Amino acid sequence: MQPLIDNARTFGQRPEEFAKLAEGQSPQVLFITCSDSRVVPALITGAAPGQLFELRTAGNIVPPYASERPTSEAATIEYAVEVLGVQDIVVCGHSHCGAVGALVRGDDLDTVPAVRDWLAYAASPPASADPDDPAVAASVQHHLLAQLLRLRSYPCVEKRLAEGSLRVRGWYYEVHTGAVLEHRADTDAFEAL
C-alpha cells in the first residue's frame, strides 16, 4: 500500500495538469468492464482523464433493466447515454475471469452470498465450456455477448441505437497477452481490432 500512498501524495502537486478537468466532462465512450484489478481501461485504450466514463462490475455484468428497481449500473448507463451523450459503449470481458470461471466450474459460492446472487445475472456458460481452462475464453465471450444483448434492451440505449447515434461494441481482453479482440457481427467472431 505504501507505494500507492506515496504516489497519491505527489499526484496533486501538478495542479496545472488538472485544472481543465474541473470545467466538466464530455467523454465519448462508456467503458463497461470487470472489477478485476488486471483490467485497466485507460491502460488498454491509452485514454487520458476525461475520455472514458467507466462502469466496473464483477464479471462485467449488465443487470436487467427494471425502472421500478433502479441499480447503480442502470443509473450509470442512463447518465452516460442521456446526459453525457456518449457515442460508443464498449463492454469488455477478459480472459481468466474469476466470475465466469466460478460459473464454469460450478464453485460453491455460499460463503459469498452477494457474489453468488450477483452472478445469477450472468449468462449460462456454453455446454462446451472446459472447467480446466484457466482462461475460460469461450465462456467469457459467450457471457460478453449476453451482456451486450441485455445492454441493447435498456430503453435509452435502444432509442439511441435506433437513431443511429450510438454504437455498442464487445471487446475481449487477453490478460496474459494484452491482445484485444472485438466481436464482429458480420462474422459472429472475435477478431483483432
Side-chain angles (χ1 to χ4, degrees):
M1 182 70 188
Q2 193 58 48
L4 301 177
I5 292 170
D6 293 342
N7 190 66
R9 283 185 180 137
T10 61
F11 192 72
Q13 294 178 2
R14 305 179 314 264
E16 66 284 351
E17 292 180 35
F18 301 99
K20 280 194 83 64
L21 294 177
E23 297 171 10
Q25 63 174 326
S26 57
Q28 300 300 302
V29 179
L30 168 60
F31 200 95
I32 302 172
T33 194
C34 187
S35 303
D36 191 300
S37 63
R38 300 167 294 178
V39 181
V40 184
L43 183 64
I44 294 168
T45 63
Q51 291 185 308
L52 294 178
F53 196 66
E54 294 182 28
L55 173 57
R56 301 194 54 154
T57 70
N60 59 274
I61 291 174
V62 175
Y65 183 83
S67 61
E68 67 282 356
R69 285 183 334 226
T71 63
S72 172
E73 296 79 17
T76 300
I77 293 164
E78 189 173 80
Y79 186 81
V81 172
E82 296 291 356
V83 177
L84 297 176
V86 297
Q87 297 172 352
D88 290 276
I89 301 176
V90 173
V91 180
C92 183
H94 68 94
S95 69
H96 302 83
C97 182
V100 174
L103 293 170
V104 168
R105 292 184 302 273
D107 291 355
D108 179 1
L109 301 173
D110 288 341
T111 60
V112 284
V115 173
R116 178 197 61 219
D117 294 348
W118 176 250
L119 293 182
Y121 292 130
S124 301
S128 62
D130 179 1
D132 297 322
D133 174 17
V136 290
S139 297
V140 169
Q141 291 173 1
H142 172 78
H143 167 74
L144 171 60
L145 295 176
Q147 302 316 302
L148 288 172
L149 282 174
R150 190 173 294 145
L151 175 65
R152 286 184 172 108
S153 74
Y154 276 51
C156 61
V157 173
E158 189 174 42
K159 180 182 96 176
R160 292 268 315 278
L161 285 170
E163 294 170 356
S165 60
L166 180 69
R167 290 177 298 271
V168 174
R169 303 168 183 274
W171 286 8
Y172 173 73
Y173 171 65
E174 291 184 339
V175 169
H176 55 293
T177 67
V180 179
L181 308 176
E182 182 171 27
H183 182 260
R184 308 276 190 215
D186 57 337
T187 62
D188 194 25
F190 284 85
E191 301 174 15
L193 286 176

